[in-house]
């Protein structure tokens, strides 16, 4: 336990009765007394507060301003960074020479700077990657700010009362807004499929802000357990489970994140690691594809469950990469990879659970439609 | 009531033993989302896997606490597995085993011993 890192809200989590677990090297709340299922449903019905301070926050600057940063970043990601408008955020991923995904993360343009939020489990790889490749840029990890996520239909009204200006933002907008808790860095985004915000706040003011949010009847603290079921219901990938260095964006069904300008025929086509693998796949497809799976009955098919084309086939055609019970859809849900010929909604595949082949239907993701304020 | 180290409770009703999991076990498992029950008529030997419980965290096997025949299962749990969280020692019972040999329960913990066991 002693070598686990803590966030500035650690004492608050314990005071709130959280069950703490190690996650990506941090001592984090997996659930509060409410329990995973009710936390999940509360977030969808009202608002949930998540401590995501373990994630990496990075600010990138360069003498040549945003144009220089964007050009350097485009050498690492298959995403249109140059064309990102000021005050806007976008999903991105680092790729490797084989076309695999090294991390998925968020980039935002803040005037002449870039603000980046990366996965906790990957920040020790991501930061050196950027520092090494983005010569001429200053890549600075922000270590004195907490990151909170406030998610759910009541997030807007709750946050507007504490941080005026929050409500005027649209989905994937970012802003730096003054508040009673110092300047907060807001983005109108999150990882639950709900409307909401991520709020970067100075370490010294984070607990005060968290308590002010929790004082609201609509807000409950939500742990990693419900964070996982919320993101899975919304069809969102967990790095390390659903995507990793061995999965390409096309296999992962993340082709939407690669804008036209970076694809074959685009004005800045290629120029990122693995482009020779990814660009042809965008045109002609890959051998396997990430899909949603709806198991029949109530039994969840969990990560690692092998998938078969029928009840007797000896060779697996894929694997489940995430699986749980969806509290809002009131049914089990999984994501996994299947060979592309079977990646058609409506197809039945079979997961082997405890020695039995159980049917699951291939379905379009998400399991539950998102609730964003576009 | 008798208790096992596998966190099951056993309640004798004539020559039938009602089995469920303890409140402590239900709490440790978290929200239960799926219960797979054995078929009525199955002959079981102590430590056979008889029930699968899936919670929001993981899958767990429940073992037969004694030898005997499964004579009834709590079908309600198939549709409302959360009953185990709500009333583990009552409506959340899982199955009934018929046995000729109730002495199998003699060595099991009583409530005081189980409370000590879970500390």
């Amino acid at each position: 336990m002693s070598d686990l890192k803590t966030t500035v809200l650690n004492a608050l989590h314990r005071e709130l009765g959280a069950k703490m677990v190690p996650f990506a090297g941090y001592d984090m709340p997996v659930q509060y007394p409410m329990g995973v299922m009710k936390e999940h449903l509360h977030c969808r019905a009202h608002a949930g507060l998540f401590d995501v301070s373990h994630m990496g926050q990075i600010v990138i600057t360069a003498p040549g301003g945003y144009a220089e940063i964007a050009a350097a970043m485009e050498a690492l990601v298959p995403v249109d960074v140059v064309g990102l408008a000021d005050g806007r955020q976008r999903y991105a991923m680092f790729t490797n020479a084989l076309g695999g995904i090294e991390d998925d993360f968020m980039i935002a343009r803040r005037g002449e700077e870039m603000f980046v939020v990366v996965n906790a489990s990957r920040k020790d790889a991501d930061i050196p990657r950027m520092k090494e490749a983005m010569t001429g840029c200053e890549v600075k990890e922000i270590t004195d700010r907490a990151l909170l996520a406030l998610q759910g239909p009541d997030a807007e009204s709750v946050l507007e009362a504490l941080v005026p200006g929050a409500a005027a933002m649209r989905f994937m907008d970012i802003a730096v807004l003054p508040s009673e808790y110092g300047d907060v860095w807001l983005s109108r985004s999150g990882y639950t499929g709900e409307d909401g915000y991520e709020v970067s706040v100075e370490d010294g003011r984070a607990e005060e802000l968290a308590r002010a949010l929790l004082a609201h009847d609509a807000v409950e603290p939500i742990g990693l357990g419900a964070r996982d079921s919320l993101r899975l219901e919304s069809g969102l990938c967990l790095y390390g489970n659903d995507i990793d260095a061995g999965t390409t964006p096309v296999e992962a069904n993340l082709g939407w994140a690669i804008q036209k300008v970076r694809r074959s025929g685009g004005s800045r086509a290629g120029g990122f690691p693995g482009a020779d693998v990814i660009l042809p796949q965008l045109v002609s497809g890959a051998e396997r594809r990430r899909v949603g799976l709806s198991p029949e009955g109530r039994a969840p098919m969990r990560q690692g469950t092998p998938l078969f084309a029928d009840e007797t086939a000896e060779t697996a055609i894929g694997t489940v990469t995430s699986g749980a019970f969806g509290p809002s859809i009131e049914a089990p849900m999984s994501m996994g990879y299947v060979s592309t010929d079977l990646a058609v909604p409506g197809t039945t595949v079979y997961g082997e659970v405890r020695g039995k082949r159980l049917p699951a239907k291939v379905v379009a993701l998400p399991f539950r439609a998102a609730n964003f304020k576009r | 009531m008798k208790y096992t180290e596998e966190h099951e409770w056993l309640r004798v009703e004539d020559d039938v033993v009602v089995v469920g999991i303890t409140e402590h076990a239900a709490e440790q498992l978290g929200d239960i989302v799926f219960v797979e029950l054995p078929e009525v008529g199955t002959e079981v030997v102590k430590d056979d896997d008889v029930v699968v419980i899936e919670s929001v965290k993981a899958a767990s096997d429940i073992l037969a606490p004694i030898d005997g025949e499964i004579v009834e299962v709590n079908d309600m749990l198939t549709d409302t597995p959360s009953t185990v969280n709500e009333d583990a020692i009552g409506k959340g019972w899982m199955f009934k085993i018929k046995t000729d040999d109730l002495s199998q329960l003699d060595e099991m913990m009583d409530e005081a011993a189980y409370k000590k066991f879970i500390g």
Side-chain angles (χ1 to χ4, degrees), chain A residues 168-204:
Chain A
M169 297 168 69
R170 289 173 304 145
F171 180 59
M172 297 292 251
D173 273 354
I174 61 142
V176 174
L177 296 176
S179 77
E180 271 183 61
Y181 309 91
D183 281 355
V184 295
W185 305 352
L186 287 189
S187 67
R188 192 153 194 171
S189 58
Y191 220 60
T192 60
E194 292 300 322
D195 178 36
Y197 302 83
E198 289 190 352
V199 186
S200 173
V201 56
E202 289 167 42
D203 276 345

Side-chain angles (χ1 to χ4, degrees), chain B:
Chain B
M1 291 251 271
K2 290 284 195 173
Y3 297 86
T4 70
E5 293 188 359
E6 305 290 331
H7 305 284
E8 291 152 298
W9 56 259
L10 294 84
R11 191 170 56 223
V12 180
E13 293 178 356
D14 302 323
D15 60 346
V16 167
V17 180
V18 188
V19 183
I21 64 168
T22 64
E23 283 172 342
H24 172 77
E27 195 190 315
Q28 292 298 311
L29 288 167
D31 298 318
I32 292 166
V33 298
F34 171 74
V35 178
E36 186 179 276
L37 297 163
E39 277 179 37
V40 170
T42 311
E43 293 281 348
V44 295
V45 176
K46 182 177 183 299
D47 293 343
D48 280 356
D49 294 341
V50 282
V51 174
V52 177
I53 295 183
E54 296 256 9
S55 75
V56 287
K57 289 178 203 154
S60 317
D61 291 317
I62 304 298
L63 310 180
I66 54 172
D67 299 349
E69 183 193 349
I70 305 285
V71 290
E72 197 179 336
V73 297
N74 186 359
D75 286 322
M76 189 174 109
L77 302 184
T78 309
D79 290 327
T80 52
S82 58
T83 308
V84 181
N85 294 111
E86 288 151 16
D87 190 10
I89 58 170
K91 287 185 190 135
W93 67 275
M94 295 191 170
F95 54 89
K96 296 183 183 176
I97 299 190
K98 190 174 177 182
T99 176
D100 308 328
D101 180 14
L102 284 172
S103 71
Q104 297 183 86
L105 276 67
D106 293 351
E107 298 291 294
M108 289 179 188
M109 291 179 277
D110 59 14
E111 188 171 351
Y114 180 69
K115 276 195 172 144
K116 206 170 163 191
F117 175 69
I118 60 177

Side-chain angles (χ1 to χ4, degrees), chain A:
Chain A
M1 285 295 278
S2 57
D3 53 352
L4 284 180
K5 289 179 267 190
T6 55
T7 72
V8 290
L9 297 181
N10 193 273
L12 177 60
H13 298 315
R14 292 171 182 279
E15 180 188 317
L16 292 168
K19 194 175 284 182
M20 306 296 287
V21 296
F23 181 81
Y26 284 80
D27 183 40
M28 297 300 286
V30 67
Q31 66 170 81
Y32 296 87
M34 190 179 237
V36 175
M37 198 96 94
K38 290 201 181 89
E39 289 172 27
H40 176 118
L41 295 170
H42 183 90
C43 181
R44 294 246 187 267
H46 303 289
L49 180 67
F50 304 73
D51 179 12
V52 288
S53 304
H54 55 315
M55 297 183 80
Q57 301 182 66
I58 297 130
V59 170
I60 306 175
T61 53
Y66 184 79
E68 183 179 355
I69 302 163
M73 182 61 90
E74 284 200 354
L76 297 175
V77 302
V79 172
D80 176 10
V81 184
V82 170
L84 184 62
D86 191 14
R88 296 289 290 164
Q89 190 178 43
R90 179 166 283 172
Y91 179 74
M93 57 204 122
F94 292 125
T95 50
N96 60 35
L98 298 173
I101 302 170
E102 292 288 323
D103 195 11
D104 67 334
F105 60 102
M106 301 302 291
I107 58 171
R109 178 171 180 179
R110 202 163 71 185
E112 293 302 318
E113 298 178 339
M114 179 184 283
F115 179 52
V116 178
V117 179
V118 301
N119 283 307
S121 61
R122 297 296 295 162
K123 63 184 177 186
D124 291 344
D126 294 338
I127 294 166
R129 174 189 307 276
M130 288 186 278
K131 282 189 170 164
E132 195 174 311
M134 299 175 75
T135 48
C137 301
E138 195 196 347
V139 176
K140 192 174 160 217
E141 184 180 4
I142 304 299
T143 53
D144 57 358
R145 297 183 77 90
L147 191 63
L148 310 181
L150 185 69
Q151 301 278 295
D154 292 339
E156 180 186 272
S157 61
V158 169
L159 194 62
E160 176 68 19
L162 297 177
V163 184
M169 297 168 69
R170 289 173 304 145
F171 180 59
M172 297 292 251
D173 273 354
I174 61 142
V176 174
L177 296 176
S179 77
E180 271 183 61
Y181 309 91
D183 281 355
V184 295
W185 305 352
L186 287 189
S187 67
R188 192 153 194 171
S189 58
Y191 220 60
T192 60
E194 292 300 322
D195 178 36
Y197 302 83
E198 289 190 352
V199 186
S200 173
V201 56
E202 289 167 42
D203 276 345
R205 311 300 300 274
E207 187 175 327
E208 215 181 318
L209 175 58
R211 284 185 192 277
L213 292 166
L214 289 168
H216 209 289
D217 283 344
V219 182
E220 291 289 340
I222 313 289
L224 292 172
R227 184 168 171 81
D228 194 54
S229 55
L230 287 159
R231 68 93 195 162
L232 181 52
E233 253 180 15
S234 305
L236 300 167
C237 293
L238 174 63
Y239 191 85
N241 280 38
D242 308 301
I243 49 175
D244 59 31
T247 53
T248 71
V250 178
E251 291 171 338
N253 211 358
L254 296 172
W256 57 266
I258 304 175
Q259 288 79 17
K260 258 191 183 151
V261 69
R262 303 301 308 276
R263 299 184 180 210
S264 303
S267 61
R268 295 192 312 283
F272 53 87
D276 55 330
V277 176
I278 295 168
L279 294 183
Q281 282 188 354
L282 279 168
V283 177
S284 38
E287 283 181 15
R288 57 178 187 155
R289 202 167 178 85
R290 179 175 64 94
V291 295
L293 298 162
S294 287
E296 280 180 21
R298 281 186 70 100
M301 281 183 193
R302 296 190 188 269
Q303 183 187 13
T305 303
L307 296 168
F308 297 86
D310 57 49
E311 283 169 283
T312 53
E314 283 180 17
T315 312
I317 47 83
T319 313
V320 171
T321 52
S322 283
F325 189 81
S328 300
I329 60 169
E330 298 182 321
M333 55 181 177
S334 297
M335 289 200 302
Y337 285 81
V338 298
S339 54
T340 302
D341 54 322
L342 296 172
V344 182
T347 306
T348 298
V349 296
Y350 294 81
E352 194 164 287
V353 181
R354 295 179 282 272
K356 278 187 243 168
R357 298 270 173 101
L358 303 177
K361 235 178 203 68
V362 173
V363 295
L365 293 168
F367 294 98
R368 186 181 179 280
N371 224 349
F372 303 138
K373 290 268 167 89
R374 302 220 186 240

